[in-house]
Coordinates of all heavy atoms in Angstrom, one line a residue:
M25 N 0.8 -1.2 0.0 CA 0.0 0.0 0.0 C 0.9 1.2 0.0 O 1.8 1.3 0.8 CB -0.9 0.0 1.2 CG -1.8 1.2 1.3 SD -2.8 1.3 2.8 CE -4.1 0.2 2.3
S26 N 0.6 2.1 -0.9 CA 1.4 3.4 -1.0 C 0.8 4.5 -0.1 O -0.4 4.7 -0.1 CB 1.4 3.8 -2.5 OG 1.9 5.1 -2.6
K27 N 1.7 5.1 0.6 CA 1.2 6.3 1.4 C 1.7 7.5 0.7 O 2.8 7.8 0.5 CB 1.9 6.2 2.8 CG 1.4 7.3 3.7 CD 2.0 7.2 5.1 CE 1.6 8.4 5.9 NZ 2.3 8.4 7.2
R28 N 0.7 8.4 0.4 CA 1.0 9.7 -0.2 C 1.4 10.7 0.8 O 0.9 10.8 1.9 CB -0.2 10.1 -1.0 CG -0.6 9.1 -2.1 CD -1.5 9.7 -3.1 NE -0.6 10.5 -3.9 CZ -0.8 10.8 -5.2 NH1 -1.9 10.4 -5.7 NH2 0.1 11.5 -5.9
T29 N 2.4 11.5 0.4 CA 2.8 12.6 1.2 C 1.7 13.7 1.2 O 1.2 14.1 0.1 CB 4.1 13.2 0.7 OG1 5.1 12.2 0.7 CG2 4.6 14.3 1.6
D30 N 1.4 14.3 2.4 CA 0.4 15.4 2.5 C 1.0 16.6 1.8 O 2.0 17.1 2.2 CB 0.2 15.6 3.9 CG -0.8 16.8 4.2 OD1 -1.4 17.3 3.2 OD2 -1.0 17.1 5.4
S31 N 0.3 17.0 0.7 CA 0.9 18.1 -0.1 C 0.9 19.4 0.7 O 1.8 20.2 0.5 CB 0.1 18.3 -1.4 OG -1.3 18.7 -1.1
S32 N 0.0 19.7 1.6 CA 0.0 20.9 2.4 C 1.2 20.9 3.4 O 1.8 21.9 3.6 CB -1.3 21.1 3.1 OG -1.5 20.1 4.1
A33 N 1.6 19.7 3.9 CA 2.7 19.5 4.8 C 4.0 19.8 4.0 O 4.9 20.5 4.5 CB 2.8 18.2 5.4
M34 N 4.1 19.3 2.7 CA 5.2 19.6 1.9 C 5.4 21.0 1.5 O 6.5 21.6 1.5 CB 5.2 18.7 0.6 CG 5.4 17.2 0.9 SD 6.9 16.8 1.7 CE 8.1 17.3 0.5
E35 N 4.3 21.7 1.2 CA 4.3 23.1 0.9 C 4.8 23.9 2.1 O 5.6 24.8 2.0 CB 2.9 23.6 0.5 CG 2.5 23.1 -0.9 CD 1.1 23.6 -1.3 OE1 0.5 24.5 -0.6 OE2 0.6 23.0 -2.2
S36 N 4.3 23.5 3.3 CA 4.7 24.2 4.6 C 6.2 24.0 4.8 O 6.9 25.0 5.2 CB 3.9 23.6 5.7 OG 4.3 24.2 6.9
L37 N 6.7 22.8 4.6 CA 8.1 22.5 4.7 C 9.0 23.3 3.7 O 10.0 23.9 4.1 CB 8.4 21.0 4.5 CG 9.8 20.6 4.6 CD1 10.4 20.9 6.0 CD2 9.9 19.1 4.4
F38 N 8.5 23.4 2.5 CA 9.2 24.2 1.4 C 9.2 25.6 1.8 O 10.3 26.3 1.8 CB 8.4 24.0 0.1 CG 9.1 24.7 -1.0 CD1 10.0 24.1 -1.8 CD2 8.7 26.0 -1.3 CE1 10.6 24.8 -2.9 CE2 9.3 26.7 -2.4 CZ 10.2 26.1 -3.2
D39 N 8.1 26.2 2.3 CA 8.1 27.6 2.7 C 9.0 27.9 3.9 O 9.7 28.9 3.9 CB 6.6 28.0 3.0 CG 5.7 28.1 1.8 OD1 6.3 28.0 0.6 OD2 4.5 28.1 2.0
A40 N 9.0 27.0 4.8 CA 9.8 27.2 6.0 C 11.3 27.1 5.6 O 12.1 27.9 6.1 CB 9.6 26.1 7.1
F41 N 11.7 26.2 4.7 CA 13.1 26.2 4.2 C 13.4 27.4 3.5 O 14.5 28.0 3.7 CB 13.2 24.9 3.3 CG 14.7 24.7 2.9 CD1 15.6 24.3 3.9 CD2 15.0 24.8 1.6 CE1 16.9 24.1 3.5 CE2 16.3 24.5 1.2 CZ 17.3 24.2 2.2
A42 N 12.6 27.9 2.6 CA 12.8 29.1 1.8 C 12.9 30.3 2.8 O 13.8 31.2 2.6 CB 11.7 29.4 0.8
D43 N 12.1 30.4 3.8 CA 12.2 31.5 4.8 C 13.5 31.4 5.6 O 14.1 32.5 5.8 CB 11.0 31.4 5.8 CG 9.7 31.8 5.1 OD1 9.7 32.4 4.0 OD2 8.6 31.5 5.7
T44 N 13.9 30.2 5.9 CA 15.2 30.1 6.6 C 16.4 30.6 5.8 O 17.2 31.3 6.3 CB 15.4 28.6 7.1 OG1 14.3 28.3 7.9 CG2 16.7 28.4 7.8
L45 N 16.4 30.2 4.5 CA 17.4 30.6 3.6 C 17.4 32.1 3.4 O 18.5 32.8 3.5 CB 17.3 29.9 2.3 CG 17.5 28.4 2.3 CD1 17.3 27.8 0.9 CD2 18.8 28.0 2.9
K46 N 16.2 32.7 3.3 CA 16.1 34.2 3.1 C 16.6 34.9 4.4 O 17.4 35.8 4.3 CB 14.7 34.6 2.9 CG 14.5 36.1 2.7 CD 13.1 36.4 2.5 CE 12.9 38.0 2.5 NZ 11.5 38.4 2.4
D47 N 16.3 34.4 5.6 CA 16.7 34.9 6.8 C 18.2 34.9 6.9 O 18.9 35.8 7.4 CB 16.1 34.2 8.0 CG 16.5 34.8 9.3 OD1 16.2 36.0 9.6 OD2 17.1 34.1 10.1
M48 N 18.8 33.8 6.4 CA 20.3 33.7 6.5 C 20.9 34.7 5.6 O 22.0 35.3 6.0 CB 20.7 32.3 6.0 CG 22.2 32.0 6.2 SD 22.7 30.4 5.6 CE 21.5 29.3 6.1
I49 N 20.4 35.0 4.5 CA 20.9 36.0 3.6 C 20.7 37.4 4.2 O 21.7 38.2 4.2 CB 20.2 36.0 2.2 CG1 20.6 34.7 1.4 CG2 20.5 37.2 1.4 CD1 21.8 34.8 0.6
V50 N 19.6 37.7 4.7 CA 19.2 39.0 5.2 C 19.9 39.3 6.5 O 20.5 40.4 6.7 CB 17.7 39.2 5.3 CG1 17.4 40.5 6.0 CG2 17.0 39.1 4.0
N51 N 19.9 38.4 7.4 CA 20.4 38.6 8.8 C 21.6 37.9 9.2 O 22.1 38.1 10.3 CB 19.3 38.2 9.8 CG 18.0 39.0 9.6 OD1 18.0 40.2 9.6 ND2 16.9 38.3 9.5
G52 N 22.2 37.1 8.3 CA 23.3 36.3 8.6 C 23.0 34.9 9.2 O 21.8 34.7 9.5
R53 N 24.0 34.1 9.3 CA 23.8 32.7 9.9 C 24.0 32.8 11.4 O 24.8 33.4 11.9 CB 24.9 31.8 9.2 CG 24.8 30.4 9.6 CD 25.8 29.6 8.8 NE 27.1 29.9 9.1 CZ 27.8 29.4 10.1 NH1 27.3 28.5 10.9 NH2 29.1 29.7 10.3
A54 N 23.1 32.0 12.1 CA 23.2 32.0 13.5 C 24.4 31.1 13.9 O 24.6 30.0 13.3 CB 21.9 31.4 14.1
A55 N 25.2 31.5 14.9 CA 26.3 30.8 15.4 C 26.5 31.1 16.9 O 26.0 32.2 17.3 CB 27.6 31.2 14.6
V56 N 27.2 30.3 17.6 CA 27.4 30.5 19.0 C 28.8 31.1 19.2 O 29.8 30.5 18.7 CB 27.3 29.2 19.8 CG1 27.6 29.4 21.3 CG2 25.8 28.6 19.7
D57 N 28.9 32.2 19.8 CA 30.1 32.8 20.2 C 30.9 31.9 21.2 O 30.3 31.7 22.3 CB 29.9 34.2 20.7 CG 31.2 35.0 21.0 OD1 32.0 34.5 21.8 OD2 31.4 36.1 20.4
K58 N 32.1 31.5 20.9 CA 32.8 30.6 21.7 C 33.2 31.2 23.1 O 33.3 30.5 24.1 CB 34.0 30.0 21.0 CG 33.7 29.1 19.9 CD 35.0 28.7 19.2 CE 34.7 27.8 18.0 NZ 35.9 27.4 17.3
E59 N 33.4 32.5 23.1 CA 33.8 33.1 24.3 C 32.6 33.4 25.3 O 32.7 33.2 26.5 CB 34.5 34.4 24.0 CG 35.8 34.2 23.3 CD 36.6 35.5 23.0 OE1 36.2 36.6 23.6 OE2 37.5 35.4 22.2
T60 N 31.5 33.9 24.7 CA 30.3 34.3 25.5 C 29.2 33.2 25.6 O 28.4 33.3 26.5 CB 29.7 35.6 25.0 OG1 29.1 35.4 23.7 CG2 30.8 36.7 24.9
G61 N 29.2 32.3 24.6 CA 28.1 31.4 24.6 C 26.8 31.9 24.0 O 25.8 31.2 23.9
E62 N 26.8 33.2 23.6 CA 25.7 33.8 23.0 C 25.5 33.5 21.5 O 26.5 33.3 20.8 CB 25.7 35.3 23.2 CG 25.7 35.8 24.6 CD 25.8 37.3 24.7 OE1 25.4 38.0 23.7 OE2 26.2 37.8 25.7
V63 N 24.3 33.5 21.1 CA 24.0 33.3 19.7 C 24.2 34.6 19.0 O 23.7 35.6 19.4 CB 22.6 32.7 19.4 CG1 22.3 32.7 17.9 CG2 22.4 31.4 20.1
V64 N 25.1 34.6 17.9 CA 25.4 35.8 17.1 C 25.0 35.5 15.7 O 24.9 34.3 15.3 CB 26.8 36.2 17.3 CG1 27.1 36.7 18.7 CG2 27.8 35.1 16.9
R65 N 24.9 36.5 14.9 CA 24.7 36.4 13.5 C 26.0 36.7 12.7 O 26.6 37.7 13.0 CB 23.6 37.3 13.0 CG 22.2 37.0 13.7 CD 21.7 35.7 13.3 NE 20.4 35.9 12.6 CZ 19.7 34.9 12.1 NH1 20.1 33.6 12.3 NH2 18.6 35.1 11.5
I66 N 26.4 35.8 11.8 CA 27.6 36.0 11.1 C 27.3 35.8 9.6 O 26.3 35.3 9.2 CB 28.7 35.0 11.5 CG1 28.3 33.6 11.3 CG2 29.1 35.2 12.9 CD1 29.3 32.5 11.5
T67 N 28.2 36.3 8.7 CA 28.1 36.2 7.3 C 28.0 34.7 6.9 O 28.8 33.9 7.4 CB 29.3 36.8 6.6 OG1 29.3 38.2 7.0 CG2 29.1 36.7 5.1
P68 N 27.1 34.3 6.1 CA 27.0 32.9 5.7 C 28.3 32.4 5.0 O 28.9 33.2 4.2 CB 25.8 32.8 4.7 CG 25.0 34.0 5.0 CD 26.0 35.1 5.5
E69 N 28.8 31.2 5.3 CA 29.9 30.7 4.7 C 29.6 30.1 3.3 O 28.4 30.1 3.0 CB 30.6 29.6 5.6 CG 29.9 28.2 5.6 CD 28.6 28.2 6.3 OE1 28.0 29.2 6.7 OE2 28.1 27.0 6.5
A70 N 30.6 29.7 2.6 CA 30.4 29.3 1.2 C 29.5 28.1 1.1 O 28.7 28.1 0.2 CB 31.8 28.9 0.6
A71 N 29.5 27.2 2.0 CA 28.6 26.0 2.0 C 27.1 26.5 2.1 O 26.3 25.9 1.3 CB 28.9 25.0 3.1
S72 N 26.8 27.4 2.9 CA 25.5 27.9 3.1 C 25.0 28.6 1.8 O 23.9 28.5 1.4 CB 25.3 28.8 4.3 OG 25.5 28.1 5.5
L73 N 25.9 29.5 1.3 CA 25.6 30.2 0.1 C 25.4 29.2 -1.1 O 24.5 29.4 -1.9 CB 26.7 31.2 -0.3 CG 26.8 32.3 0.7 CD1 28.1 33.2 0.4 CD2 25.6 33.2 0.8
N74 N 26.1 28.1 -1.1 CA 25.9 27.1 -2.2 C 24.6 26.4 -2.0 O 23.9 26.1 -3.0 CB 27.1 26.1 -2.1 CG 27.1 25.3 -3.4 OD1 27.0 25.8 -4.5 ND2 27.2 24.0 -3.2
V75 N 24.1 26.2 -0.8 CA 22.8 25.6 -0.6 C 21.7 26.5 -1.2 O 20.8 26.1 -1.8 CB 22.5 25.3 0.9 CG1 21.1 25.0 1.2 CG2 23.4 24.1 1.4
I76 N 21.9 27.8 -0.9 CA 20.9 28.8 -1.4 C 21.0 28.8 -2.9 O 19.9 28.8 -3.6 CB 21.2 30.2 -0.8 CG1 21.0 30.1 0.7 CG2 20.4 31.3 -1.5 CD1 21.5 31.3 1.5
R77 N 22.2 28.8 -3.5 CA 22.3 28.9 -4.9 C 21.6 27.6 -5.6 O 20.8 27.8 -6.5 CB 23.8 28.9 -5.3 CG 24.0 28.9 -6.8 CD 25.4 28.4 -7.2 NE 25.7 27.0 -6.7 CZ 25.2 25.9 -7.3 NH1 24.5 25.9 -8.4 NH2 25.6 24.7 -6.8
Q78 N 21.9 26.5 -5.0 CA 21.3 25.3 -5.5 C 19.8 25.2 -5.4 O 19.0 24.8 -6.3 CB 21.9 24.0 -4.9 CG 21.5 22.7 -5.6 CD 22.0 22.7 -7.0 OE1 23.2 23.0 -7.3 NE2 21.2 22.3 -7.9
F79 N 19.3 25.7 -4.3 CA 17.8 25.8 -4.0 C 17.2 26.7 -5.1 O 16.1 26.3 -5.7 CB 17.5 26.4 -2.6 CG 16.1 26.6 -2.3 CD1 15.3 25.5 -2.0 CD2 15.5 27.9 -2.4 CE1 13.9 25.7 -1.7 CE2 14.2 28.1 -2.1 CZ 13.4 27.0 -1.8
L80 N 17.8 27.8 -5.4 CA 17.2 28.7 -6.4 C 17.3 28.0 -7.8 O 16.3 28.1 -8.5 CB 18.0 30.0 -6.4 CG 17.8 30.9 -5.2 CD1 18.8 32.1 -5.2 CD2 16.4 31.4 -5.1
K81 N 18.4 27.4 -8.1 CA 18.5 26.7 -9.4 C 17.5 25.6 -9.5 O 16.9 25.5 -10.6 CB 20.0 26.2 -9.5 CG 20.3 25.6 -10.8 CD 21.7 25.1 -10.9 CE 22.0 24.4 -12.2 NZ 23.4 24.0 -12.3
D82 N 17.4 24.8 -8.5 CA 16.5 23.7 -8.5 C 15.0 24.1 -8.7 O 14.2 23.3 -9.2 CB 16.5 22.8 -7.2 CG 17.8 22.0 -7.1 OD1 18.6 22.0 -8.1 OD2 18.1 21.5 -6.0
N83 N 14.7 25.3 -8.3 CA 13.4 25.9 -8.5 C 13.2 26.8 -9.6 O 12.3 27.6 -9.7 CB 12.9 26.5 -7.1 CG 12.7 25.4 -6.1 OD1 11.7 24.7 -6.2 ND2 13.6 25.2 -5.2
G84 N 14.2 26.8 -10.6 CA 14.0 27.5 -11.8 C 14.2 29.0 -11.7 O 13.8 29.8 -12.5
Q85 N 14.9 29.5 -10.6 CA 15.1 30.9 -10.4 C 16.5 31.3 -11.0 O 17.5 31.0 -10.3 CB 15.0 31.2 -8.9 CG 13.7 30.9 -8.3 CD 12.5 31.5 -9.0 OE1 12.5 32.7 -9.2 NE2 11.6 30.8 -9.4
T86 N 16.5 31.8 -12.1 CA 17.7 32.2 -12.8 C 17.6 33.7 -13.2 O 16.5 34.2 -13.3 CB 18.0 31.4 -14.0 OG1 16.9 31.5 -14.9 CG2 18.2 29.9 -13.6
V87 N 18.7 34.3 -13.4 CA 18.7 35.7 -13.9 C 19.5 35.8 -15.2 O 20.6 35.3 -15.2 CB 19.4 36.6 -12.8 CG1 19.5 38.1 -13.3 CG2 18.6 36.6 -11.5
L88 N 18.9 36.3 -16.2 CA 19.7 36.5 -17.5 C 20.7 37.5 -17.3 O 20.5 38.5 -16.6 CB 18.7 36.9 -18.6 CG 17.6 35.8 -18.9 CD1 16.6 36.4 -19.9 CD2 18.3 34.6 -19.5
P89 N 21.9 37.3 -17.9 CA 23.0 38.3 -17.8 C 22.5 39.7 -18.2 O 21.8 39.9 -19.2 CB 24.0 37.8 -18.8 CG 23.7 36.4 -19.0 CD 22.2 36.2 -18.8
G90 N 22.9 40.7 -17.4 CA 22.6 42.1 -17.7 C 21.2 42.6 -17.3 O 20.9 43.7 -17.6
T91 N 20.4 41.7 -16.6 CA 19.0 42.1 -16.3 C 18.8 42.4 -14.8 O 17.7 42.8 -14.5 CB 18.0 41.0 -16.7 OG1 18.3 39.8 -16.0 CG2 18.1 40.7 -18.2
N92 N 19.8 42.3 -14.0 CA 19.6 42.5 -12.6 C 20.7 43.3 -12.0 O 21.9 42.9 -12.1 CB 19.5 41.1 -11.9 CG 19.2 41.3 -10.4 OD1 20.1 41.5 -9.6 ND2 18.0 41.1 -10.0
K93 N 20.4 44.4 -11.4 CA 21.5 45.3 -10.9 C 22.4 44.6 -9.9 O 23.6 44.8 -9.9 CB 20.9 46.6 -10.3 CG 22.0 47.6 -9.8 CD 21.4 48.8 -9.2 CE 22.4 49.8 -8.6 NZ 23.7 49.4 -8.4
A94 N 21.8 43.9 -8.9 CA 22.6 43.3 -7.9 C 23.6 42.3 -8.5 O 24.8 42.2 -8.2 CB 21.8 42.6 -6.9
V95 N 23.1 41.5 -9.5 CA 24.0 40.5 -10.2 C 25.0 41.2 -11.0 O 26.2 40.8 -11.0 CB 23.1 39.5 -11.0 CG1 24.0 38.6 -11.9 CG2 22.2 38.7 -10.2
N96 N 24.6 42.3 -11.7 CA 25.6 43.1 -12.5 C 26.7 43.6 -11.6 O 27.9 43.6 -12.0 CB 24.9 44.2 -13.2 CG 23.9 43.7 -14.3 OD1 24.0 42.6 -14.7 ND2 23.0 44.6 -14.7
D97 N 26.3 44.1 -10.4 CA 27.3 44.7 -9.5 C 28.3 43.6 -9.1 O 29.5 43.9 -9.0 CB 26.6 45.3 -8.3 CG 25.9 46.6 -8.6 OD1 26.1 47.1 -9.7 OD2 25.1 47.0 -7.8
I98 N 27.8 42.4 -8.8 CA 28.7 41.3 -8.4 C 29.6 41.0 -9.6 O 30.8 40.8 -9.4 CB 27.9 40.1 -7.9 CG1 27.2 40.4 -6.6 CG2 28.8 38.9 -7.8 CD1 26.2 39.3 -6.2
A99 N 29.0 40.8 -10.7 CA 29.8 40.4 -11.9 C 30.9 41.4 -12.2 O 32.0 41.1 -12.7 CB 28.9 40.2 -13.1
S100 N 30.6 42.7 -12.0 CA 31.6 43.7 -12.3 C 32.8 43.7 -11.4 O 33.9 44.2 -11.7 CB 31.0 45.1 -12.2 OG 30.7 45.5 -10.9
Q101 N 32.7 43.0 -10.3 CA 33.8 42.9 -9.3 C 34.7 41.6 -9.6 O 35.7 41.4 -9.0 CB 33.3 42.8 -7.9 CG 32.5 44.1 -7.5 CD 33.3 45.3 -7.7 OE1 34.5 45.4 -7.2 NE2 32.8 46.3 -8.3
L102 N 34.2 40.8 -10.5 CA 35.0 39.5 -10.8 C 36.3 39.8 -11.5 O 36.4 40.8 -12.2 CB 34.2 38.6 -11.6 CG 32.9 38.1 -11.0 CD1 32.1 37.3 -12.0 CD2 33.2 37.2 -9.8
P103 N 37.3 39.0 -11.2 CA 38.6 39.3 -11.8 C 38.8 38.8 -13.3 O 39.9 38.7 -13.8 CB 39.6 38.5 -10.9 CG 38.8 37.3 -10.4 CD 37.4 37.9 -10.3
F104 N 37.7 38.6 -14.0 CA 37.7 38.2 -15.4 C 36.4 38.8 -16.0 O 35.5 39.2 -15.3 CB 37.7 36.7 -15.6 CG 36.7 36.0 -14.8 CD1 35.4 35.8 -15.3 CD2 37.0 35.5 -13.5 CE1 34.4 35.1 -14.6 CE2 36.0 34.8 -12.8 CZ 34.7 34.6 -13.3
G105 N 36.4 39.0 -17.3 CA 35.4 39.7 -18.0 C 34.3 38.8 -18.6 O 33.3 39.3 -19.2
G106 N 34.5 37.5 -18.6 CA 33.5 36.6 -19.2 C 33.8 36.2 -20.7 O 33.1 35.5 -21.3
E107 N 35.0 36.7 -21.2 CA 35.3 36.4 -22.6 C 35.4 34.9 -22.8 O 35.2 34.5 -24.0 CB 36.7 37.0 -23.0 CG 36.9 38.5 -22.7 CD 37.2 38.8 -21.2 OE1 37.9 38.0 -20.5 OE2 36.8 39.9 -20.8
E108 N 35.8 34.2 -21.8 CA 35.9 32.7 -22.0 C 34.7 32.0 -22.4 O 34.7 30.9 -22.8 CB 36.5 32.1 -20.7 CG 35.7 32.2 -19.5 CD 35.8 33.5 -18.7 OE1 36.4 34.5 -19.3 OE2 35.4 33.6 -17.6
Y109 N 33.5 32.7 -22.2 CA 32.2 32.1 -22.6 C 31.8 32.6 -24.0 O 30.8 32.1 -24.5 CB 31.2 32.4 -21.6 CG 31.5 31.8 -20.2 CD1 31.9 32.6 -19.2 CD2 31.4 30.5 -20.1 CE1 32.2 32.0 -18.0 CE2 31.7 29.9 -18.8 CZ 32.1 30.7 -17.8 OH 32.4 30.1 -16.6
E110 N 32.5 33.5 -24.6 CA 32.2 34.0 -25.9 C 32.6 33.0 -27.0 O 33.6 32.3 -26.9 CB 32.8 35.3 -26.2 CG 32.3 36.4 -25.3 CD 33.0 37.7 -25.5 OE1 33.8 37.9 -26.4 OE2 32.7 38.6 -24.7
E111 N 31.8 32.9 -28.0 CA 32.0 31.9 -29.1 C 33.3 32.3 -29.8 O 33.6 33.5 -30.1 CB 30.9 31.9 -30.1 CG 30.9 30.8 -31.0 CD 29.6 30.7 -31.8 OE1 28.5 30.9 -31.2 OE2 29.7 30.4 -33.0
G112 N 34.2 31.4 -30.1 CA 35.4 31.6 -30.8 C 36.5 32.1 -29.9 O 37.6 32.5 -30.5
Y113 N 36.4 32.2 -28.6 CA 37.4 32.7 -27.7 C 38.6 31.7 -27.7 O 38.5 30.5 -27.6 CB 36.9 32.8 -26.3 CG 37.9 33.2 -25.3 CD1 38.3 34.5 -25.2 CD2 38.4 32.3 -24.4 CE1 39.3 34.9 -24.3 CE2 39.4 32.6 -23.4 CZ 39.8 34.0 -23.4 OH 40.7 34.3 -22.4
A114 N 39.8 32.3 -28.0 CA 41.0 31.5 -28.0 C 41.8 31.8 -26.7 O 42.0 32.9 -26.3 CB 41.9 31.8 -29.2
H115 N 42.2 30.8 -26.0 CA 43.0 30.9 -24.7 C 44.3 31.6 -25.0 O 45.2 31.4 -25.4 CB 43.2 29.6 -24.0 CG 41.9 28.9 -23.7 ND1 41.1 29.3 -22.6 CD2 41.1 28.0 -24.3 CE1 40.0 28.6 -22.5 NE2 40.0 27.8 -23.5

């Protein structure tokens, strides 16, 4: 006998996960200060940012080049110009 997953429970879980990821981006990642034992917010590490990136990708959230100011600002800081993706580019 097959047991079906409750779709409202799955939607709730999905929303909670998305909210947690958003909170991490906006407010930082929760961590315990080793000296004081207090919970503090710190910049998310690469692994957390990768989870967020993969979540967005898995859910079809992409940005076309040149269409988003925040992405453009990040891209302008990269140490390469993207020529390596142009057709006919020779190393």
Side-chain angles (χ1 to χ4, degrees):
M25 180 185 277
S26 170
K27 182 178 177 186
R28 299 199 77 150
T29 302
D30 179 6
S31 63
S32 65
M34 290 303 293
E35 287 176 18
S36 178
L37 179 61
F38 181 92
D39 291 345
F41 187 67
D43 289 343
T44 299
L45 297 178
K46 179 182 176 186
D47 182 62
M48 189 184 315
I49 290 270
V50 172
N51 299 309
R53 184 174 64 85
V56 176
D57 184 301
K58 291 180 183 179
E59 293 179 16
T60 66
E62 294 180 24
V63 175
V64 295
R65 299 294 244 177
I66 60 173
T67 302
E69 78 286 12
S72 293
L73 294 174
N74 193 46
V75 167
I76 294 166
R77 178 203 57 81
Q78 191 63 46
F79 176 78
L80 293 170
K81 183 177 178 183
D82 289 350
N83 288 285
Q85 301 302 309
T86 58
V87 177
L88 296 173
T91 62
N92 182 281
K93 182 181 177 343
V95 173
N96 294 344
D97 290 346
I98 293 169
S100 71
Q101 300 302 312
L102 296 173
F104 51 86
E107 309 79 32
E108 62 275 17
Y109 296 106
E110 294 176 7
E111 195 171 316
Y113 175 75
H115 299 279

